[in-house]
Amino acid sequence: MLLITCPFCGPRPELEFGYAGEAHVVRAQDPRDVSDSQWTEYLYQRSNVRGVHAERWRHAHGCAQFFNALRDTTTDHFVATYRIGESRPDAAVEAGR
Amino acid sequence: MAETMARLHPLAAVKTVADPHLVAQGPMGRFSLRLSPTAAPPPLGALGLSLPLAPCRAAQSETAAALWLGPGEWLLLTAPERAPAVEAALRAELAGQAFSLVEISHRQTGFSLSGPRAAQRLNAGCPLDLDLASFPVGMCTRTVFAKAEIVLWRTGAEQFHIEVWRSFVPYLWELLVIVGAETS
Ligand SMILES: [Zn+2]
């Protein structure tokens, strides 16, 4: 079974996790300040990466926390997982090459 | 005169078979405690223990247990008759900081599963690595058993405590009995 490393609990079976969409999609502090096209982009436009993708996961049947992960969408390999608020660890991607 | 409804065990309607290694437990006092994940929690005299801060670890005293379920989230277990006093004492001890304490005694039921094949039996429905090296005594976690979410706590090398929500009790019981027959 695919193991995903929860930043709190360590490596755990995929069954315990839920996927929660692309990571680092920033919501405007005040939506009234942005144009319709910027708001549309925030709501609907996603990068749909072929390769290493930053995405949100939740350890739903575990510690219940959301966290971020870098996953290669072509191999399903998890390059790194990191806590919400931490920046994207691209060094891990380079090290994995 | 008003009649009192008797509280039924969730297995009351299920035809159970005697299983020396699987015991459904009676009533227990339970609380869900939430604190700020960044604040240092005080030692809780009402429970006679300090809340475990390490992920997936349980702490136990003579009268109570505290199971780490997530950052700032614990499951507290105590004897049912002590529950009201424990709740009052905890509220007094935690006053002054942000907290949430919810009594969930009736939400779930406890099982104890023991024996040399206990881990193997659990692994029929639970994908965790239950080797003693990776799931030592004192480790606890929310996880899944087949289609039910459970809290699993290893209380001995061959001894587990399982908490499951009430409506999943017959399902979990029957599955564990079937698996027990297959692994014995
Ligand atoms: Zn976790």
Side-chain angles (χ1 to χ4, degrees):
Chain A
M1 182 172 292
L2 175 65
L3 296 178
I4 301 175
T5 301
C6 168
F8 298 93
C9 309
R12 302 282 292 240
E14 176 195 6
L15 272 182
E16 294 180 349
F17 295 84
Y19 177 72
E22 185 170 343
H24 309 297
V25 178
V26 181
R27 185 182 195 273
Q29 279 292 336
D30 189 342
R32 288 172 298 189
D33 291 344
V34 301
S35 67
D36 282 356
S37 65
Q38 284 170 313
W39 187 244
T40 302
E41 186 168 327
Y42 161 72
L43 285 180
Y44 302 113
Q45 300 298 318
R46 295 296 179 262
S47 56
N48 197 23
V49 172
R50 184 172 192 276
V52 176
H53 184 226
E55 51 200 20
R56 300 192 307 164
W57 284 77
R58 180 171 180 244
H59 194 189
H61 300 295
C63 63
Q65 301 298 299
F66 280 92
F67 60 92
N68 290 332
L70 294 181
R71 182 179 62 96
D72 192 320
T73 57
T74 58
T75 59
D76 215 16
H77 171 66
F78 278 75
V79 180
T81 53
Y82 51 107
R83 295 185 185 193
I84 297 287
E86 294 176 355
S87 53
R88 184 181 156 133
D90 278 299
V93 183
E94 294 306 319
R97 279 180 210 279
Chain B
M1 202 181 113
E3 280 181 64
T4 324
M5 283 176 80
R7 188 169 167 241
L8 290 179
H9 193 279
L11 281 177
V14 178
K15 229 175 132 187
T16 55
V17 290
D19 185 322
H21 297 307
L22 179 63
V23 179
Q25 298 180 338
M28 195 181 271
R30 298 178 175 87
F31 296 91
S32 169
L33 172 64
R34 304 295 301 259
L35 299 170
S36 160
T38 48
L44 298 175
L47 302 171
L49 52 77
S50 297
L51 291 173
L53 296 178
C56 304
R57 286 299 181 277
Q60 231 181 329
S61 70
E62 295 273 299
T63 54
L67 281 65
W68 185 100
L69 293 186
E73 181 186 3
W74 292 269
L75 170 65
L76 310 179
L77 304 174
T78 182
E81 64 277 4
R82 282 179 44 87
V86 164
E87 177 171 5
L90 279 176
R91 287 194 185 282
E93 286 185 303
L94 292 167
Q97 63 177 295
F99 73 97
S100 148
L101 182 70
V102 180
E103 201 210 326
I104 51 168
S105 298
H106 296 185
R107 185 182 75 175
Q108 52 210 48
T109 294
F111 286 94
S112 85
L113 180 67
S114 59
R117 292 186 190 270
Q120 190 184 350
R121 217 163 153 179
L122 279 166
N123 274 146
C126 172
L128 283 181
D129 180 358
L130 296 179
D131 188 89
L132 257 178
S134 29
F135 203 97
V137 176
M139 184 164 171
C140 61
T141 183
R142 217 176 349 232
T143 182
V144 289
F145 185 87
K147 296 192 176 182
E149 183 177 280
I150 60 169
V151 170
L152 183 65
W153 173 24
R154 187 172 220 147
T155 51
E158 294 180 351
Q159 179 86 41
F160 293 90
H161 179 85
I162 304 168
E163 290 277 320
V164 64
W165 286 22
R166 189 181 165 90
S167 58
F168 285 103
V169 167
Y171 172 79
L172 186 77
W173 171 271
E174 285 173 354
L175 256 181
L176 282 172
V177 168
I178 292 170
V179 171
E182 286 173 356
T183 52
S184 64

